[in-house]
Amino acid sequence: MTGYGLGGPIRGIVGRPAAFSLGGVAVPPPVTRLSLQKSGAFASGDYAGSIGMGILRRFVVSFDYAHNAMWLTKAAEFDAPDLYDRFGAWLALGYGGDLTVIDVVEHGPAAEAGLRRGDDVTAIDGTQASWDAIFQLRALLKQPDKTQVTVSAVRDGKPMALPVTLRDLISPPGSS
């Protein structure tokens, strides 16, 4: 699972190309997703793909609606690496305001620590797992210098603390 939208889970194969360019401009290789969707926009053969935040965050984006054009100017963060999840679980808003595990990467760090679909995550490294903190938590779980987190969760009404050893699921930029 690589995302979630109105139509439900978005599934795909995730990787990083050796090189990437946009309009003749070499861009640091982003994390990319090859869709496995059977229906919806990402299943259509009419589109080569979508440009996501791994690309657009590198630019100041301006739209010229009168001429149906989008202008991209390199932003200060243009060369920043596009980091990917090192945790291996997808969290979504659950009942009661906590985050619920809705998918776990098989043999990934979260699965190896014992986290399962349906577990309610209440905190990660002491940060309350709420919708307000989701972007902060996702950033934490991507950091290359972070090697372990403690996930506080509830399963079948029983609290648990799981140490999760983070590791790269997609090779970082510049690695072989």
Side-chain angles (χ1 to χ4, degrees):
M1 187 165 141
T2 62
Y4 201 90
L6 292 174
I10 300 169
R11 302 214 178 264
I13 298 169
V14 182
R16 185 183 307 276
F20 185 84
S21 65
L22 183 62
V25 175
V27 177
V31 172
T32 57
R33 173 180 62 208
L34 302 174
S35 177
L36 295 174
Q37 295 299 103
K38 303 288 186 223
S39 62
F42 289 116
S44 172
D46 295 338
Y47 303 101
S50 66
I51 297 175
M53 290 308 297
I55 301 295
L56 292 180
R57 71 175 177 80
R58 299 175 182 287
F59 297 94
V60 174
V61 182
S62 302
F63 294 97
D64 180 351
Y65 292 105
H67 297 97
N68 286 331
M70 177 175 74
W71 297 94
L72 303 175
T73 306
K74 286 183 183 180
E77 315 75 41
F78 180 81
D79 290 319
D82 187 18
L83 302 175
Y84 189 68
D85 168 62
R86 302 177 73 238
F87 181 58
W90 191 268
L91 305 175
L93 185 61
Y95 302 106
D98 291 331
L99 298 177
T100 298
V101 177
I102 60 173
D103 199 33
V104 180
V105 174
E106 190 176 345
H107 306 295
E112 290 171 353
L115 206 60
R116 298 183 199 156
R117 287 175 76 182
D119 288 345
D120 291 315
V121 175
T122 58
I124 298 176
D125 268 3
T127 299
Q128 183 178 351
S130 66
W131 192 247
D132 293 338
I134 190 73
F135 294 109
Q136 176 186 352
L137 293 172
R138 285 182 181 162
L140 171 76
L141 297 171
K142 290 179 180 182
Q143 293 308 309
D145 59 339
K146 190 76 170 164
T147 58
Q148 189 163 0
V149 295
T150 299
V151 175
S152 301
V154 176
R155 179 183 303 146
D156 299 326
K158 297 177 185 166
M160 57 187 171
L162 300 171
V164 179
T165 301
L166 304 175
R167 71 170 187 276
D168 293 323
L169 299 173
I170 301 297
S171 297
S175 65
S176 354

